[in-house]
Amino acid sequence: MATTETTVVAPSLKRRFMELLAKPWSGVAMLLVFYLILIAVFSILSPFFFNTRNMLQIGLNVAYIGLMAAAGTPLIIAGGLDLSVAAIAGLTGVMISLLVGLGVPVWVAVGLALALAAAIGVANGLFTTRLKLNPLITTLGMMSIVSGIALVLTGGLTRPLMIPGFNWIGSERLFSIPIPLIIMVVTFFALWLVMTKTKFGRFIYAAGGNAEASRLIGIPVERTVIVLYVISALAGAVAGTILGAMLGAAGPNAAGSQLLTVIAAIILGGTSLNGGRGSVWGTLLAVLILGTLNNGLTLLNVSSFWQDVTRGVVLMLAVSLDQLRNRALGE
Amino acid sequence: MSSIPRLSMRGIGKSFGGVPVLSNVELTLEAGEVVALLGSNGAGKSTLVKILTGLYSRDAGTVEVDGEAVLFGKPADAIAAGVKLLPQEISVMPDLSVGENILLGDLPMKPGFGFKQVDYKTIHIRATELLAQLGFEALDTHQDVKRLSVAEQRIVEIARAIAGQARILIMDEPTAALTEQEAELLFAIIRRLKQQKVSVVYISHYMSEVFEISDRIVVLRDGRNAGDFVTRDTNKAEVLAAMLGATAGDLYPTEPPPPPGTDVLKVEGFGVRGKLADVSFTVRSGEILGIFGLVGSGVEVLGRALYGAVHSERSGQVTLDGRPYRPSTPQHGKEAGIGFVAAERKKEGIIADLTVRENIALPFQNRFTRGLFVSTEAETGHAQNWIRYLGIRTRGPEQKLRTLSGGNQQKVCLARWLVEGVKLLILEEPTRGVDIGARREIYGKLRELTAKGFAVVILSSDVEEVAGISDRSLVLDRGRVVEQFPRGVTPAALMAATAETQTA
């Protein structure tokens, strides 16, 4: 009574898809295709979509979000997570407005806000590495503290932020490209250099890929992660500065609603929530995709409430894809 | 006898990534029989057990339980067929009661308030019945499992295993966390299970246990059957010979060791609180020191404590190159000139998503950095050098480490430390999960490296390896050095030196 076993599996469509997912470039390639399709679809549906003006507008709209997502990417690759980044952006605008009201020169005020952000980043880093607290809970707590302080300082009101010699950072253009967009692109480029060309970059991928192995070969895993929390917090502060300058106003929770966009962009960009894998270019494409979706849907007169739904759907699709990719890689 | 065996596994074959792990393996069990499954690390025991419990699918062969052909696609299939595994690590739910733990797989329900709810009264009655079968009806089924001793938790696990009509019970190192008296208690339970016609596959490193409890001994070596003995008709020497084989000779380098140089590491009265006490030895350059110990002997702590990867309180004197040396982080060990390869390659060794080049350059990244940026050319040159020297089979330095075989991953872990300034290599289980060809190459290269002046310390629970490769060897047992041997020690002598086999 022998069982004949056949372990032959035809190379089904599913298997082929999984093999594709296992390729290192698959994430970025799929995003690029998706982005081009999106542009084509909106170009057909709306006559106002495909022109330089609107494209630059999308870039301006997503600049401060992209900044936060760019800095969050290496952090998640290294095994961290920062949910307080958007709250830091809100507090930064509020601080600048209040300090200037007290007679502090505006750029000094910006400097002080950046210093505070760095301190928040250090705190996030120390809590998660030295005390080994869960980063999700730690930075969720920090988000609540930071946005709470911003609300206390303003009584919940939005404050004016129209200061001579300041607002140009949000409104001026260099060679007809908006300054915020330039800042974002430069940030992406700088992070790409750091992550792929430097020793510190190697430590980021090593720490996230296998923290225990990295520690055992003498890599300063904790220091690496703490520095990345500081970078993320600083990016939040710069994003808050840019947003305040663009709007001419500082709301205590000005960027809060974009936290989900930031996280969605990083995950959609192919960065693994398990750490160790990802690239800033994937994040940049994802930021552009999410920004384009918003812009296109607005041009088509779709309610902004529906845009929340879209963003949630995209996020969940991205997470599912990440999970599938992990399975394809045999984890 | 022509009765149908309880279990019959025939012609079992399994390979991973083209490397055969099991070929044509047989295992039969009569009802109520206790069969000990023996073999050194990597012999294929755990793979065979995983096939039997539905964790792995087999590539070839048949499995029959009570004459019925079975194909376990998932663990639940095996459990449904009455094949239960008692894993090495105790797996109870500490916050549930004894009764709930025992009947977790099939909680009795009762109707009430219009929906089914857990019937706690029946739970405790049935759990007590099951415990009575094992002779432990006195255990209070209402108390939380976290309040029980380790041995009592084992009993709860066994009761859970027999709750759903166990026909075959697989015990993997069941005495690992038990005291001697508690182990006796476990044996009493096994004898009761025998009377109830439950068959047991008993896996253990401890010879004396095997001879006390088993009816038959099945030995695996290199993924094949290497012996099948009736326990009362055989002896330890015969079983050991089957486990170790006579073919091991050419696995290890035969060239004579280089003349030993200066003292590299000198350890005096070294201790780690609760793990090691009063360990003393010296390693000279050009020398391979083997340290043998079974799981729990301290062999898994000593190497990393000397490297700086253990935080517990340490005592004693350590000198490295004549200077006092007190590492408290791996960075210290690395900067002092020690290279360390951890036992658990996947968990503590490789960084799977980085390339071969990146993995090799990682510990001494500074040396491949020019100004602000890493020099990929410098890394590539260095990596290619060691890929060639160690014979790492890879498509090139840009291949992701994830996709290499275990042996080649291990060579990459070793290559990380082959830079100027490293004088001592501390290697934990250097060939665990490595196929025989790569093992031979690794041993050969270690010999060559000592000729270049490296000192090597190997910590291993593989008795053959320590006997085969060491210029000198120590035996650790219960955190102490119990014996020292010169070059040419036999595996049997090393094994005999552990207190366990000595007293038995």
Side-chain angles (χ1 to χ4, degrees):
Chain A
M1 209 168 44
T3 50
T4 46
E5 268 187 78
T6 47
T7 44
V8 183
V9 180
S12 59
L13 210 60
K14 185 186 165 195
R15 154 92 50 116
R16 280 203 201 137
F17 179 64
M18 293 302 263
E19 275 167 9
L20 188 72
L21 274 181
K23 300 255 193 286
W25 44 261
S26 68
V28 174
M30 278 194 290
L31 285 175
L32 197 58
V33 171
F34 185 59
Y35 183 46
L36 295 176
I37 292 174
L38 209 58
I39 287 179
V41 168
F42 281 131
S43 300
I44 295 164
L45 292 179
S46 164
F48 309 111
F49 178 79
F50 195 74
N51 55 63
T52 317
R53 213 182 102 85
N54 191 47
M55 287 293 138
L56 286 176
Q57 185 61 45
I58 294 175
L60 180 61
N61 288 346
V62 299
Y64 75 102
I65 299 168
L67 205 57
M68 293 187 278
T73 304
L75 178 61
I76 291 183
I77 291 173
L81 175 68
D82 186 2
L83 297 181
S84 65
V85 61
I88 292 172
L91 180 62
T92 301
V94 166
M95 263 190 73
I96 296 171
S97 166
L98 285 171
L99 287 171
V100 169
L102 293 171
V104 177
V106 64
W107 292 110
V108 176
V110 171
L112 288 171
L114 285 174
L116 177 68
I120 295 170
V122 170
N124 278 335
L126 288 176
F127 279 123
T128 51
T129 59
R130 293 287 143 83
L131 299 181
K132 300 195 172 22
L133 302 184
N134 180 311
L136 183 92
I137 305 301
T138 306
T139 61
L140 193 66
M142 189 58 88
M143 173 180 99
S144 184
I145 293 170
V146 170
S147 62
I149 290 174
L151 286 166
V152 168
L153 287 175
T154 58
L157 302 174
T158 297
R159 295 181 52 91
L161 196 61
M162 294 295 283
I163 302 154
F166 171 72
N167 293 80
W168 62 268
I169 198 172
S171 54
E172 288 293 313
R173 286 166 186 248
L174 194 66
F175 306 117
S176 75
I177 300 170
I179 300 268
L181 184 55
I182 292 174
I183 293 175
M184 179 189 85
V185 172
V186 168
T187 305
F188 268 101
F189 187 73
L191 283 171
W192 169 73
L193 273 183
V194 168
M195 287 163 67
T196 58
K197 307 285 176 202
T198 72
K199 183 176 81 165
F200 182 71
R202 216 48 79 64
F203 289 176
I204 294 171
Y205 283 95
N210 190 339
E212 196 46 42
S214 300
R215 232 170 257 128
L216 281 175
I217 52 178
I219 286 177
V221 172
E222 296 189 352
R223 200 200 310 154
T224 303
V225 173
I226 293 171
V227 168
L228 291 173
Y229 272 109
V230 172
I231 291 176
S232 173
L234 286 174
V238 174
T241 308
I242 291 173
L243 186 62
M246 278 167 66
L247 301 175
N253 210 7
S257 64
Q258 295 305 336
L259 173 67
L260 195 63
T261 317
V262 170
I263 304 296
I266 297 171
I267 303 306
L268 181 62
T271 295
S272 169
L273 270 174
N274 300 337
R277 280 200 304 276
S279 79
V280 280
W281 300 131
T283 302
L284 179 60
L285 271 173
V287 166
L288 292 175
I289 286 171
L290 291 169
T292 304
L293 260 176
N294 252 357
N295 175 275
L297 292 176
T298 308
L299 288 180
L300 296 176
N301 284 324
V302 176
S303 135
S304 72
F305 301 137
W306 274 113
Q307 296 176 18
D308 284 350
V309 176
T310 324
R311 195 172 47 193
V313 170
V314 169
L315 175 63
M316 287 168 78
L317 279 177
V319 176
S320 316
L321 213 60
D322 178 45
Q323 200 53 42
L324 271 179
R325 191 176 295 123
N326 284 338
R327 219 175 294 164
L329 287 168
E331 277 178 359
Chain B
M1 239 172 36
S2 63
S3 73
I4 298 166
R6 169 58 50 84
L7 171 74
S8 161
M9 297 177 87
R10 268 173 301 167
I12 302 296
K14 178 78 187 170
S15 43
F16 291 109
V19 182
V21 181
L22 291 178
S23 25
N24 202 19
V25 170
E26 286 192 22
L27 178 68
T28 55
L29 273 176
E30 301 299 330
E33 190 181 31
V34 178
V35 168
L37 186 59
L38 295 186
S40 356
N41 291 326
K45 286 172 302 188
S46 59
T47 309
L48 188 65
V49 164
K50 281 174 180 160
I51 287 172
L52 180 55
T53 53
L55 267 167
Y56 291 164
S57 63
R58 56 188 190 265
D59 296 345
T62 59
V63 179
E64 290 174 16
V65 176
D66 286 332
E68 203 176 314
V70 291
L71 183 62
F72 298 146
K74 51 184 189 296
D77 296 345
I79 290 168
V83 178
K84 305 287 180 70
L85 172 70
L86 234 58
Q88 196 172 342
E89 300 287 326
I90 290 184
S91 63
V92 288
M93 315 293 152
D95 290 306
L96 295 185
S97 72
V98 169
E100 287 166 310
N101 262 284
I102 290 175
L103 292 168
L104 207 54
D106 182 24
L107 283 177
M109 306 297 273
K110 66 174 183 196
F113 303 112
F115 59 90
K116 282 210 272 183
Q117 46 182 281
V118 176
D119 180 358
Y120 282 98
K121 213 167 153 187
T122 312
I123 283 185
H124 293 293
I125 294 168
R126 284 211 1 226
T128 309
E129 281 168 13
L130 286 162
L131 285 170
Q133 277 184 41
L134 303 175
F136 287 91
E137 59 275 25
L139 201 61
D140 177 9
T141 57
H142 291 86
Q143 63 184 321
D144 283 355
V145 160
K146 65 182 170 212
R147 295 176 52 200
L148 303 183
S149 72
V150 180
E152 287 170 324
Q153 294 185 4
R154 268 285 181 226
I155 292 162
V156 169
E157 266 193 332
I158 296 172
R160 182 203 294 163
I162 62 169
Q165 289 306 313
R167 292 196 275 184
I168 299 167
L169 203 54
I170 301 156
M171 300 189 174
D172 188 1
E173 299 280 355
T175 58
L178 303 186
T179 66
E180 224 158 293
Q181 290 96 319
E182 288 172 333
E184 281 307 323
L185 217 130
L186 179 78
F187 296 152
I189 292 177
I190 293 177
R191 290 190 189 101
R192 269 174 176 266
L193 290 172
K194 271 171 67 95
Q195 286 164 15
Q196 292 157 27
K197 293 291 167 207
V198 176
S199 305
V200 176
V201 177
Y202 191 92
I203 300 173
S204 174
H205 274 111
Y206 294 108
M207 279 288 172
S208 53
E209 286 180 8
V210 165
F211 275 86
E212 175 165 357
I213 196 66
S214 73
D215 301 314
R216 211 149 51 76
I217 300 173
V218 171
V219 180
L220 295 185
R221 187 176 73 237
D222 299 332
R224 293 169 184 281
N225 286 84
D228 192 333
F229 307 97
V230 174
T231 307
R232 63 172 180 277
D233 298 337
T234 185
N235 56 51
K236 282 172 197 165
E238 203 176 15
V239 173
L240 266 177
M243 273 174 72
L244 304 177
T247 56
D250 64 337
L251 188 56
Y252 302 98
T254 46
E255 56 263 53
T262 53
D263 289 0
V264 174
L265 183 75
K266 198 168 171 157
V267 179
E268 289 166 287
F270 187 70
V272 173
R273 211 164 104 176
K275 298 277 171 58
L276 283 174
D278 201 24
V279 174
S280 302
F281 62 87
T282 306
V283 197
R284 290 165 293 185
S285 66
E287 198 174 38
I288 300 178
L289 174 73
I291 299 179
F292 168 68
L294 295 171
V295 178
S297 64
V299 74
E300 57 288 285
V301 182
L302 179 57
R304 41 190 76 203
L306 291 172
Y307 176 62
V310 167
H311 299 299
S312 321
E313 197 182 304
R314 280 150 293 157
S315 55
Q317 297 289 317
V318 183
T319 47
L320 189 68
D321 270 347
R323 279 187 294 276
Y325 164 70
R326 287 189 150 275
S328 53
T329 65
Q331 268 115 316
H332 291 165
K334 179 169 85 174
E335 277 152 26
I338 297 181
F340 175 76
V341 177
E344 300 286 336
R345 185 165 49 246
K346 205 167 170 192
K347 226 177 87 206
E348 307 175 323
I350 62 165
I351 295 163
D353 283 315
L354 292 188
T355 64
V356 172
R357 162 179 61 85
E358 290 166 330
N359 265 285
I360 291 179
L362 204 52
F364 296 97
Q365 197 72 62
N366 269 337
R367 302 191 189 186
F368 305 101
T369 306
R370 310 276 179 269
L372 274 179
F373 298 121
V374 170
S375 161
T376 315
E377 295 88 75
E379 286 183 333
T380 306
H382 179 75
Q384 267 166 346
N385 214 0
W386 293 111
I387 288 172
R388 219 174 303 123
Y389 180 77
L390 294 172
I392 299 173
R393 271 177 279 293
T394 163
R395 289 195 301 274
E398 298 310 306
Q399 194 175 352
K400 296 254 190 253
L401 196 51
R402 164 191 303 287
T403 56
L404 266 59
S405 75
N408 287 306
Q409 291 180 347
Q410 189 70 351
K411 288 177 180 176
V412 168
C413 291
L414 188 61
R416 285 174 175 159
W417 304 107
L418 304 180
V419 300
E420 214 181 299
V422 173
K423 28 193 188 257
L424 171 66
L425 298 174
I426 297 179
L427 315 175
E428 285 182 347
E429 308 285 354
T431 63
R432 179 185 283 175
V434 171
D435 66 273
I436 202 105
R439 280 176 71 164
R440 180 180 292 115
E441 287 168 12
I442 289 174
Y443 294 139
K445 289 303 170 189
L446 287 177
R447 183 80 276 169
E448 273 184 48
L449 289 169
T450 60
K452 290 177 197 273
F454 279 99
V456 177
V457 175
I458 287 176
L459 300 112
S460 176
S461 58
D462 181 340
V463 66
E464 243 185 289
E465 170 171 277
V466 174
I469 190 72
S470 309
D471 297 328
R472 280 187 302 127
S473 48
L474 305 179
V475 178
L476 277 183
D477 192 37
R478 288 158 221 252
R480 288 173 183 275
V481 176
V482 291
E483 277 275 17
Q484 304 207 27
F485 293 99
R487 186 174 160 80
V489 64
T490 63
L494 283 172
M495 196 57 114
T498 63
E500 178 62 35
T501 35
Q502 226 168 30
T503 55

